Amino acid sequence: MNKLKRFFTLLCAAAMGFTCLLSFAACADQSDKQVLRVYNWEDYIDPDIITAFEEEYDCTVEYSTFGTNENMYNELKINQGGYDLVCPSDYMIMKMIAEDMCEPFSQEFRTNGVYSQYVSPYIRNLFEENGWTDYAVGYMWGTMGFMYNPENVDAEDVKDWKVLENEKYHKKSTLKNSVRDTYFYALACVYQDELQALASQLEDASITKAEYTAELKEIMNRTDQDSVDKAREYLREIKKSVYGFEVDSGKNDMVTGKIDLNFCWSGDAAYGIWEADDENGFTLAYSVPELVSNVWFDGWVIPKGGNRSLAEKFLNFISLPENAMLNMDYIGYTSVIAGEEIYSDYVEGGYAVEEEGEELQALLDAGEAMEYDVSYFFKEEGDSTEYTFYAYTEDMQGMLLAQYPTEEIVQRCVIMQYFDEAGNNRINMMWEDVKGAAVPLGAVIFIGVIVLALLGVFLISNYGYEWFKPRPKKGYYKVEK
Amino acid sequence: MKKLYFSRKQLCIPYSVFLVLFVFIPMLLILVYAFTQEAADGSLYFSFDNFLNFFTNSSKLQTLGVSVTVSFITTFFCLIIAYPVAYILARSGWKHTYVLLMLFIMPMWLNFVLRITALRELLNIIGFLGKYDYVNTVIGMVYDFLPFMILPLYNSLQKLDQSLLEAANDLGAGDVHTFLHVTLPLSMPGILSGITMVFMPSMTNYVVSETLGNSNITILGKMIEEYFSTYDDMHMGSMIAIILLVIIFLTMLLSGGFKENADETSSRGANLW
């Protein structure tokens, strides 16, 4: 009994000591510095920016990362009040706002913040149209399309979503191993005729632009059983002719030449094109197919109970054009931040044709350079600057297109909505059916042969003696019973 | 001051805490999740739906079939390759066989994902990648799990009493006969142990099928991951995990993994489970 007592005393002492230490540590943290708990995608910020923010505002940033929107959502549900700032994708932001999980931004931040000062008018309008302005600010954005190797793939072919059906690119293309993106791809293929009709209606002006956009959005967000079934059939068929499904190996497989065609996010395309050019010395290109594409973005929201004032400081800090550029360089995606500085340093500075005068004219005549207009992204109302410059055609089919698509492309892009639970279930079931496959006949036959062989060995080792009557070794004789 | 000392009972406390925290509670949670569903208001209620759903859904059954197929073929090839290796290593008269053994085991010390990524490049050079997804997956699995087969086989073969072989020889059995009637039965514990060590993990090791099969092959491990991270349905994910557990339990039961080690010689120290 005495022993036990002493043991527990010891245990208690140890526990108390430990708690004291912990509380000291906690006190030390609290008394000195404020803490900002940021929850972001993996590899989605330049760590130097975090350090700079910590120094400037004398606070600590507790930075953690997630891999999928669903993981992030679950973590927020389990660990309520555990984060001050999270960075989900478009549809997840919609879901979180609908479920009242987000803290609205302060009036001050919305009107006078650095973010509101520099954010692109295109993104601002997008957020206002959809009613997210109070709860979310943008971070990175882009389109979806094909990264391709122009040596092996005809640029005309990749204007069509159905290019993967092409026998020429059999087992040379990949789809996304993510249900929402690949479902979008399937819809674009399945409803191609309808989309085509819609596009020609817009062309002959029988519908207005607003009607066109609304209709486009409706088609690409269908989740009814019929659409899902069609998508299932289509994907099962196309699965036979693709190289595989991937979420991050695709860009490397493009760079190493394993595949020629990669259905991808524009940021990955920018990364792949740069990497191929820089390290392997060959050219890759990007294309957003005609008729329709997906415009996506990731944005910051403050979960209920988060530290709003510090979170807003952080958002203002990363929205400074110089920090936005650092981030773009680091992760390869395009920031929603616009502004004069980014245009002149990053867009014009990075992509404008260097030649001038006659040389420029020669390039233009040869079709190697063209005028490129990004006004929709940079031009504020009442701004008199022209956001138009001459760019190399190669860039216009590559990096530049991936980073800053033209207005014409953006107008035929739709945001994927958050689907209701029934719709989600239908799509998930569809995905499971697409990913699952029957055991191939060859494998079944092979297993059959193995089983027969094992059975044979078993029988021979047990009864072989009776059947074959092996002769005893020399000098021995068999005793018959 | 008196000297501190602990009784055996007290020394057990950390282990019991460990067992409760990392074995009982997680298992219990998975069981609870597997046999419940979430009502609209977020409360849980008991249900067999997940269980029934698994065995009535063709894609899930197909995935189960694919997993078993891949595991079976992997195990078979591991055995075919490992047995001769273990046999030669265990029976060779060379003093430094452990060097050879180490060479076979050494890849295990390298990071597994790294090895599979490297293998992917190799398969690409050969021209298999993107063409033969099943073959590639099996190659990767065999490569990955071969040491787990060699070790128990080597152990049981090495401990095989040489005099038994001599006795068989003396009594007139030929080499084949000796092998089939003496060596093979006596190395059975090693074989069974190796089979369990390979068959079980290859049912769920989806890194290989994703990397080398370009995600064209879905095995149960991947399916569990999808349910947890993409479909946001922990209940079905847990149910698949439980079903997998039962399958593994059954294979162990069949291979006699639960036999008490009363007969020390029959296990020959090779039964790692």
Side-chain angles (χ1 to χ4, degrees):
Chain A
M1 201 57 215
N2 233 349
K3 274 185 283 179
L4 206 67
K5 242 185 196 164
R6 195 164 47 231
F7 175 70
F8 277 117
T9 324
L10 199 78
L11 202 72
C12 285
M16 274 173 69
F18 190 62
T19 336
C20 282
L21 265 178
L22 266 183
S23 49
F24 272 134
C27 282
D29 247 8
Q30 273 167 7
S31 61
D32 273 332
K33 291 175 174 178
Q34 274 197 303
V35 179
L36 182 72
R37 294 157 303 172
V38 181
Y39 198 31
N40 194 2
W41 292 89
E42 284 153 16
D43 278 332
Y44 216 40
I45 198 164
D46 185 345
D48 290 345
I49 293 180
I50 297 180
T51 323
F53 176 75
E54 282 177 327
E55 275 168 22
E56 181 139 351
Y57 289 91
D58 191 32
C59 62
T60 315
V61 176
E62 276 174 18
Y63 189 77
S64 41
T65 59
F66 56 86
T68 67
N69 279 303
E70 285 71 19
N71 279 351
M72 185 247 18
Y73 179 80
N74 284 333
E75 169 66 17
L76 282 190
K77 282 278 176 200
I78 295 165
N79 190 1
Q80 282 183 2
Y83 298 97
D84 300 315
L85 202 55
V86 291
C87 183
S89 302
D90 35 31
Y91 75 95
M92 192 48 82
I93 294 180
M94 293 179 216
K95 180 177 168 144
M96 287 173 67
I97 292 177
E99 292 180 9
D100 196 24
M101 290 171 70
C102 312
E103 190 87 24
F105 288 106
S106 68
Q107 194 58 43
E108 170 66 18
F109 177 78
R110 267 178 279 160
T111 46
N112 297 326
V114 180
Y115 172 78
S116 59
Q117 188 185 337
Y118 286 112
V119 66
S120 152
Y122 166 68
I123 299 290
R124 185 187 300 130
N125 290 338
L126 200 70
F127 272 57
E128 263 165 24
E129 277 165 27
N130 289 286
W132 304 320
T133 317
D134 291 353
Y135 296 98
V137 303
Y139 183 47
M140 297 285 161
W141 75 289
T143 52
M144 284 208 82
F146 289 113
M147 170 160 50
Y148 64 100
N149 186 341
E151 259 184 42
N152 302 330
V153 177
D154 195 341
E156 282 302 309
D157 290 348
V158 276
K159 288 182 177 169
D160 183 359
W161 282 111
K162 285 189 171 177
V163 57
L164 301 194
E165 291 173 18
N166 197 329
E167 201 48 43
K168 257 167 45 189
Y169 314 124
H170 184 74
K171 295 276 177 196
K172 281 289 182 188
S173 56
T174 56
L175 281 173
K176 281 276 162 257
N177 196 8
S178 103
V179 48
R180 291 177 59 90
D181 297 302
T182 300
Y183 181 64
F184 188 91
Y185 163 81
L187 284 183
C189 291
V190 165
Y191 289 119
Q192 197 182 40
D193 293 341
E194 212 168 316
L195 293 166
Q196 185 70 61
L198 197 65
S200 42
Q201 273 180 331
L202 180 71
E203 214 163 292
D204 59 30
S206 57
I207 51 170
T208 65
K209 196 153 247 179
E211 282 170 342
Y212 168 78
T213 315
E215 186 70 14
L216 209 58
K217 192 171 152 185
E218 188 273 321
I219 295 175
M220 296 314 289
N221 283 297
R222 284 179 189 168
T223 57
D224 57 289
Q225 193 63 51
D226 186 46
S227 303
V228 174
D229 286 344
K230 280 180 186 160
R232 176 189 288 115
E233 285 315 304
Y234 188 79
L235 288 177
R236 276 193 160 172
E237 202 49 45
I238 208 76
K239 191 186 169 186
K240 293 173 194 155
S241 48
V242 300
Y243 180 79
F245 297 87
E246 54 82 32
V247 276
D248 50 23
S249 62
K251 46 185 189 258
N252 287 322
D253 287 353
M254 284 298 297
V255 172
T256 51
K258 292 191 186 73
I259 49 172
D260 289 331
L261 201 52
N262 176 222
F263 175 55
C264 68
W265 297 287
S266 52
D268 280 355
Y271 174 89
I273 292 166
W274 186 82
E275 191 86 348
D277 187 47
D278 194 59
E279 295 200 354
N280 301 38
F282 70 100
T283 313
L284 292 178
Y286 181 67
S287 155
V288 181
E290 279 167 5
L291 298 183
V292 72
S293 180
N294 171 224
V295 59
W296 56 266
F297 63 87
D298 296 320
W300 297 102
V301 294
I302 304 174
K304 275 258 149 70
N307 181 344
R308 189 172 75 179
S309 71
L310 197 59
E312 286 176 350
K313 278 180 194 149
F314 184 76
L315 292 178
N316 280 334
F317 189 75
I318 60 170
S319 300
L320 289 169
E322 67 259 31
N323 287 338
M325 276 191 279
L326 276 181
N327 253 339
M328 279 199 268
D329 281 339
Y330 187 81
I331 60 181
Y333 281 78
T334 310
S335 170
V336 299
I337 300 299
E340 185 72 28
E341 204 178 336
I342 292 200
Y343 177 73
S344 56
D345 285 9
Y346 199 84
V347 185
E348 206 183 16
Y351 294 109
V353 173
E354 284 159 19
E355 287 84 350
E356 282 175 347
E358 271 177 34
E359 283 173 30
L360 173 63
Q361 197 55 48
L363 278 180
L364 289 175
D365 292 342
E368 280 174 33
M370 268 198 217
E371 206 173 48
Y372 202 79
D373 185 1
V374 284
S375 307
Y376 80 97
F377 192 77
F378 286 95
K379 194 165 186 164
E380 292 283 356
E381 241 172 87
D383 187 352
S384 58
T385 327
E386 279 307 312
Y387 294 96
T388 310
F389 61 98
Y390 291 108
Y392 297 105
T393 359
E394 194 188 308
D395 282 336
M396 288 168 57
Q397 288 162 2
M399 280 286 264
L400 181 57
L401 179 68
Q403 287 205 302
Y404 293 95
T406 59
E407 187 173 11
E408 182 257 328
I409 288 174
V410 168
Q411 276 175 353
R412 56 178 150 89
C413 284
V414 292
I415 292 183
M416 248 187 138
Q417 304 291 312
Y418 181 70
F419 306 139
D420 59 10
E421 203 179 320
N424 254 338
N425 282 342
R426 276 194 289 273
I427 294 168
N428 288 343
M429 293 313 317
M430 179 278 301
W431 186 238
E432 198 170 276
D433 290 344
V434 169
K435 290 304 293 295
V439 181
L441 191 64
V444 176
I445 294 172
F446 190 71
I447 289 184
V449 171
I450 294 176
V451 170
L452 283 181
L454 288 178
L455 203 68
V457 169
F458 176 77
L459 287 178
I460 287 176
S461 68
N462 279 288
Y463 305 107
Y465 191 79
E466 322 294 324
W467 297 343
F468 303 117
K469 305 257 181 217
R471 242 181 319 161
K473 264 167 69 179
K474 234 179 184 176
Y476 292 79
Y477 61 90
K478 201 177 165 211
V479 183
E480 298 291 346
K481 278 180 191 164
Chain B
M1 191 177 158
K2 269 190 194 168
K3 224 169 114 186
L4 260 175
Y5 61 92
F6 300 104
S7 74
R8 266 189 208 176
K9 255 188 205 161
Q10 288 160 4
L11 284 174
C12 280
I13 291 175
Y15 301 103
S16 352
V17 170
F18 177 86
L19 277 181
V20 169
L21 277 183
F22 297 108
V23 180
F24 289 121
I25 293 179
M27 289 295 279
L28 201 70
L29 278 178
I30 288 186
L31 256 178
V32 168
Y33 268 114
F35 287 101
T36 50
Q37 292 278 44
E38 206 166 318
D41 62 346
S43 61
L44 298 176
Y45 63 92
F46 180 82
S47 125
F48 264 120
D49 287 0
N50 291 325
F51 185 79
L52 294 177
N53 180 294
F54 187 91
F55 288 103
T56 49
N57 182 309
S58 67
S59 4
K60 291 194 181 79
L61 290 179
Q62 279 175 348
T63 306
L64 178 65
V66 168
S67 306
V68 172
T69 308
V70 168
S71 288
F72 188 89
I73 298 178
T74 303
T75 315
F76 174 74
F77 274 111
C78 277
L79 191 62
I80 291 291
I81 297 170
Y83 203 95
V85 173
Y87 190 82
I88 293 165
L89 287 179
R91 304 288 298 280
S92 83
W94 194 40
K95 244 167 54 184
H96 303 294
T97 36
Y98 64 90
V99 177
L100 276 177
L101 187 68
M102 274 303 125
L103 282 179
F104 279 99
I105 306 298
M106 217 152 57
M108 268 199 332
W109 302 346
L110 292 173
N111 181 287
F112 152 69
V113 179
L114 196 71
R115 273 185 290 142
I116 293 300
T117 314
L119 187 60
R120 185 168 191 261
E121 295 303 314
L122 198 70
L123 288 170
N124 183 43
I125 294 169
I126 301 172
F128 276 23
L129 196 67
K131 287 200 190 102
Y132 314 108
D133 298 322
Y134 272 90
V135 177
N136 293 343
T137 306
V138 169
I139 290 176
M141 296 260 194
V142 170
Y143 174 53
D144 195 29
F145 293 123
L146 193 59
F148 292 98
M149 190 63 108
I150 292 181
L151 267 183
L153 281 177
Y154 174 78
N155 265 341
S156 65
L157 284 171
Q158 202 200 21
K159 284 176 186 150
L160 194 101
D161 197 342
Q162 203 68 26
S163 53
L164 292 175
L165 302 180
E166 282 161 15
N169 223 315
D170 281 350
L171 292 172
D175 284 346
V176 177
H177 209 79
T178 313
F179 177 78
L180 286 177
H181 288 268
V182 182
T183 315
L184 196 62
L186 284 176
S187 62
M188 220 46 185
I191 294 177
L192 290 179
S193 166
I195 286 177
T196 33
M197 299 264 292
V198 173
F199 191 80
M200 290 177 203
S202 50
M203 294 269 286
T204 51
N205 191 341
Y206 66 87
V207 176
V208 177
S209 61
E210 297 284 288
T211 319
L212 303 180
N214 289 322
S215 305
N216 282 323
I217 298 172
T218 308
I219 59 175
L220 281 180
K222 177 66 188 170
M223 199 174 233
I224 295 175
E225 196 258 357
E226 291 254 11
Y227 267 98
F228 272 86
S229 66
T230 314
Y231 304 155
D232 192 18
D233 183 356
M234 300 215 272
H235 303 281
M236 191 68 214
S238 304
M239 179 46 90
I240 302 176
I242 293 273
I243 288 168
L244 203 63
L245 197 95
V246 171
I247 293 172
I248 289 168
F249 187 82
L250 287 181
T251 28
M252 275 181 75
L253 212 62
L254 282 178
S255 63
F258 290 117
K259 254 186 247 158
E260 272 303 317
N261 269 6
D263 186 6
E264 192 58 41
T265 46
S266 77
S267 90
R268 296 194 173 272
N271 226 333
L272 293 169
W273 290 88

